Amino acid sequence: MELDGFSWVSNFTLWGSTPLLLTAPEAEANSALVLAGVLLSLVVIYFASKVGGEISNRFGLPPVLGELVGGVIVGVSALHLLVFPEGGADATSSLIMNFLQTTAGLAPEEVAPTYAAQSEVVSVLAELGVVILLFEIGLESNLRELMAVGIQAAVVACVGVAVPFGAGTAGLMIWFGVPAVPAIFAGAALTATSIGITSKVLSELGTLNSREGQIILGAAVIDDVLGIIVLAVVASLAKTGEVDVGNVVYLIISASGFLLGAILLGNVFNKTFVTVVDRLKTRGELVIPAFIFAFVMSYLAAAIHLEAILGAFAAGLVLDETDKRKELQKQVVPIADMLVPIFFVTVGAKTDLGVLNPAVPSNREGLIIAIFLIAVAIVGKVVTGAAVFGQPGINRLAIGVGMIPRGEVGLVFAGVGSASGVLSKPLEAAIIMMVILTTFLAPPLLRFVFPPTTAVGGEPETPV
């Protein structure tokens, strides 16, 4: 049997540490069929994301929700087309591996290592997808608009982060006995707000430029920034497995300093970036340097023990200030269309909703946790409307309801938590259920709390 370079090195190391005659050859992944398995996985992912997204869009819901549900259907909860070792599945439960055995001659002894390698490649692609997603979100988060929305939006955002985070974390630890780190992670997932979902509904209602709409959008953008900082902190805590107050303070300071430093860097870097791009003449003259910058920033974030996605988000904020912003956004979209669905479908595929089946007695606690998280997620955002001051006659309930949907931002938290291994299966499934339900509820609730006369014919009120 011929050995490739990697296999030769592995065997050489083994031979150097044990007698040759006592070494039993281990089965290796079939590299050609690993690629075949990855390609089949991508077929399943893209099919599930497209069908789910189209169905979701037909019902006036965000396509990302359909991608998540599509992932649940093709994953460990239902069809077993896309399963992963960290979800508790083995090679025998993967229909893709069974298909390769039947059609491509995958040997029985090669199934397990091929399955492990295929799963790892798909997981890496999913991680790359979330990096691209946060870079795209950073590009869409206009700093000038963020600073112009007023103090009301900042107050709403801070309350919308503090209340659900504190209530969720404390409730899980006190009432359900959840350890500190997973409880903090679940509490952090409650802080998110999906600006994409809310802005779409407000636009349809004709209230995007109303006072309420401006406050909601401004608060949602600030929520994203605060949420990314919180995510960087809790993800780093998940790596150490314990809550160290000194470490938490360091992470908060370093994450905040990293973002502020990136923003200040933007004032210097923007002109240099545009100058370099203008000198390039070959294909990818704009998008390739942009991704180089994004990946370098992601690496720097990881190097100081933050999440790589914080670096990608910071890179997006910096490049948002350049003259090439709109052109860059257009070029990033098709790349995001290829990679981001892998992340969302994979999150859904890894989620075992069977752990919330009330018919199984041991699952009932997980279902109760899900109900608790959903209640905190809704109430914790609705109360933010009460924090608005100096705005007589404003619709505070509408502002609170507009902050409810978690959407893709909540899924980022769930995905990072799943990848870290810090969340138990019931807690992970409960977070997914919270994201799904709050996303489903937001559009009809927004239509209910905004009076029809304002939505249809009324003049939009003066923005804040």
Side-chain angles (χ1 to χ4, degrees), residues 55-313:
I55 293 174
S56 186
N57 188 60
R58 293 287 176 89
F59 287 94
L61 296 167
V64 67
L65 191 60
E67 294 176 0
L68 172 66
V69 175
V72 171
I73 293 172
V74 301
V76 69
S77 294
L79 299 181
H80 285 257
L81 285 167
L82 190 67
V83 293
F84 298 86
E86 57 266 36
D90 56 23
T92 59
S93 65
S94 170
L95 292 186
I96 287 180
M97 290 298 109
N98 293 336
F99 185 76
L100 289 176
Q101 282 186 280
T102 304
T103 62
L106 179 63
E109 66 272 12
E110 295 175 337
V111 171
T114 301
Y115 165 68
Q118 170 250 338
S119 300
E120 183 66 23
V121 172
V122 175
S123 295
V124 169
L125 289 174
E127 292 294 324
L128 183 58
V130 75
V131 168
I132 300 299
L133 172 64
L134 267 294
F135 178 58
E136 187 179 26
I137 290 175
L139 283 173
E140 294 172 355
S141 301
N142 191 295
L143 281 173
R144 293 189 183 92
E145 292 179 4
L146 182 62
M147 292 184 287
V149 293
I151 190 65
Q152 293 90 350
V155 171
V156 169
C158 291
V159 173
V161 168
V163 172
F165 177 74
T169 303
L172 288 173
M173 292 178 66
I174 296 170
W175 294 333
F176 298 100
V178 176
V181 172
I184 290 172
F185 221 116
L190 294 169
T191 64
T193 296
S194 173
I195 186 172
I197 296 168
T198 299
S199 60
K200 181 177 183 296
V201 177
L202 291 177
S203 178
E204 291 173 351
L205 293 174
T207 55
L208 195 60
N209 291 321
S210 66
R211 289 183 298 167
E212 292 88 351
Q214 289 293 295
I215 291 175
I216 291 170
L217 291 185
V221 172
I222 298 172
D223 247 14
D224 280 352
V225 177
L226 295 176
I228 296 302
I229 292 175
V230 171
L231 178 59
V233 172
V234 296
S236 299
L237 290 178
K239 294 175 184 175
T240 63
E242 59 185 12
V243 180
D244 182 342
V245 176
N247 188 43
V248 171
V249 172
Y250 161 76
L251 290 170
I252 293 173
I253 293 174
S254 58
S256 304
F258 186 85
L259 278 176
L260 291 174
I263 293 169
L264 294 175
L265 169 68
N267 296 327
V268 178
F269 178 76
N270 288 340
K271 294 181 180 179
T272 304
F273 177 81
V274 172
T275 301
V276 170
V277 166
D278 286 339
R279 291 178 179 271
L280 301 177
K281 302 301 179 185
T282 55
R283 285 179 56 175
E285 71 277 6
L286 175 58
V287 72
I288 295 300
F291 277 126
I292 290 173
F293 178 61
F295 294 156
V296 168
M297 293 291 285
S298 298
Y299 163 75
L300 291 176
I304 60 173
H305 306 293
L306 299 173
E307 279 297 297
I309 56 176
L310 181 66
F313 180 74

Side-chain angles (χ1 to χ4, degrees), residues 400-422:
V401 170
M403 300 292 290
I404 287 177
R406 268 52 177 192
E408 68 282 356
V409 186
L411 293 182
V412 171
F413 278 83
V416 173
S418 175
S420 71
V422 72

Side-chain angles (χ1 to χ4, degrees), residues 356 366 369-370 373-374 425-435:
L356 298 179
I369 290 176
L373 290 181
I374 290 166
K425 285 187 177 181
L427 187 55
E428 181 183 344
I431 293 173
I432 293 293
M433 290 299 295
M434 178 272 296
V435 172

